[in-house]
């Protein structure tokens, strides 16, 4: 029985005194199509077409000289989208609804981009703090604003993903808890609305994974 509304998102719940919730993060590995099949399945063909499309898009964002970097962002998209969809299954822990997971993805990427940019392209990083055409009197304020906007980037990435994941799950939980007190006619309406919300959450799972990966690639392209 839930002690509060957010207890379903508690990573400390245990089975046999072992915290097994975070193991759900690795369950997405079993959905990766096998490349050694004699005949590729429809799932593997679909996923290959998705990864090829993402590779082409990330290559445009990163530039033709950074095609190897697209592998990192395609893998990032795959990890997030698998965890988002697994969270829609009953009794599966949603790791991407926790800042511990999303911040662990966003913060190392941002720190590595900043270190690479300031070490290898110092003048470009300084010039990026002052937009072109800024009046001299406003330059100190623009530097401060641009610095703050750069610093909060990993936080906005992490909070955006976690908030979108937890909001839909909370809505589904709230509506599902009212089912026992409804009549048969209202119960059918509730089930239909739950199905529509589940479809919406599936779309959100894909969109938020795509947004996280694209924004990360844009941050990488700025320092290159």
């Amino acid at each position: 029985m839930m002690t509060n509304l957010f207890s379903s998102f508690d990573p400390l719940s245990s089975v046999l005194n072992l915290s097994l919730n975070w193991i759900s993060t690795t369950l997405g590995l079993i959905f990766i199509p096998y490349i050694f099949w004699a005949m590729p399945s429809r799932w593997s063909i679909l996923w290959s077409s998705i990864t090829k499309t993402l590779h082409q898009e990330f290559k445009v964002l990163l530039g033709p000289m950074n095609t190897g970097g697209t592998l990192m962002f395609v893998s990032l998209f795959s990890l997030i989208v698998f965890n988002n969809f697994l969270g829609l299954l009953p009794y599966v822990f949603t790791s991407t609804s926790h800042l511990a997971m999303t911040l662990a993805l966003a913060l190392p990427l941002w720190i590595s981009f900043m270190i690479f940019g300031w070490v290898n392209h110092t003048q470009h990083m300084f010039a990026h703090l002052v937009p072109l055409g800024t009046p001299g009197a406003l330059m100190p304020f623009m530097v401060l604003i641009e610095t703050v906007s750069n610093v909060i980037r990993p936080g906005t990435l992490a909070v955006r993903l976690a908030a979108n994941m937890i909001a839909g799950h909370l809505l589904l939980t709230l509506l599902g808890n009212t089912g026992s007190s409804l009549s048969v006619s209202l119960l059918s309406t509730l089930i239909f609305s739950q199905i529509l919300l589940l479809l919406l959450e599936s779309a959100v799972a894909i969109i938020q994974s795509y947004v996280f990966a694209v924004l990360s690639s844009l941050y990488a392209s700025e320092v290159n």
Side-chain angles (χ1 to χ4, degrees), residues 20-214:
L20 304 178
N21 283 334
W22 292 102
I23 296 179
S24 64
T25 307
T26 61
L27 292 179
L29 296 176
I30 66 176
F31 295 99
I32 297 178
Y34 296 99
I35 62 175
F36 301 106
W37 284 0
M39 292 293 293
S41 63
R42 294 179 180 178
W43 164 251
S44 62
I45 294 174
L46 174 63
W47 186 247
S48 297
S49 63
I50 292 174
T51 53
K52 288 179 181 177
T53 303
L54 290 174
H55 168 72
Q56 296 298 327
E57 183 166 349
F58 290 142
K59 186 167 67 173
V60 173
L61 295 176
L62 296 174
M65 301 302 294
N66 293 309
T67 55
T70 60
L71 176 62
M72 176 176 64
F73 297 107
V74 172
S75 302
L76 180 65
F77 171 82
S78 304
L79 174 66
I80 297 175
V81 76
F82 281 145
N83 280 278
N84 289 350
F85 271 106
L86 284 171
L88 297 176
L89 299 176
Y91 303 105
V92 177
F93 176 71
T94 312
S95 59
T96 49
S97 65
H98 289 265
L99 284 176
M101 175 68 176
T102 57
L103 198 59
L105 293 175
L107 192 59
L109 284 175
W110 178 81
I111 291 177
S112 61
F113 296 156
M114 288 296 102
I115 293 175
F116 176 83
W118 284 104
V119 170
N120 296 282
H121 307 287
T122 307
Q123 293 183 352
H124 172 74
M125 296 298 291
F126 275 116
H128 188 69
L129 295 176
V130 181
L132 186 64
T134 303
L138 296 179
M139 283 185 180
F141 300 100
M142 292 305 300
V143 170
L144 180 61
I145 293 173
E146 289 295 326
T147 303
V148 172
S149 66
N150 285 332
V151 169
I152 66 174
R153 279 179 175 180
T156 56
L157 277 178
V159 171
R160 180 188 295 110
L161 178 58
N164 280 279
M165 288 298 102
I166 201 172
H169 287 64
L170 280 177
L171 186 57
L172 289 171
T173 303
L174 287 172
L175 291 178
N177 289 337
T178 61
S180 58
S181 60
L182 297 178
S183 60
V184 177
S185 58
L186 291 178
L187 187 60
S188 59
T189 305
L190 176 62
I191 294 175
F192 180 72
S193 62
Q194 289 277 63
I195 294 175
L196 293 180
L197 281 175
L198 191 60
L199 294 176
L200 178 62
E201 280 298 297
S202 301
V204 169
I206 300 175
I207 293 172
Q208 291 303 316
S209 306
Y210 177 76
V211 168
F212 193 100
V214 168

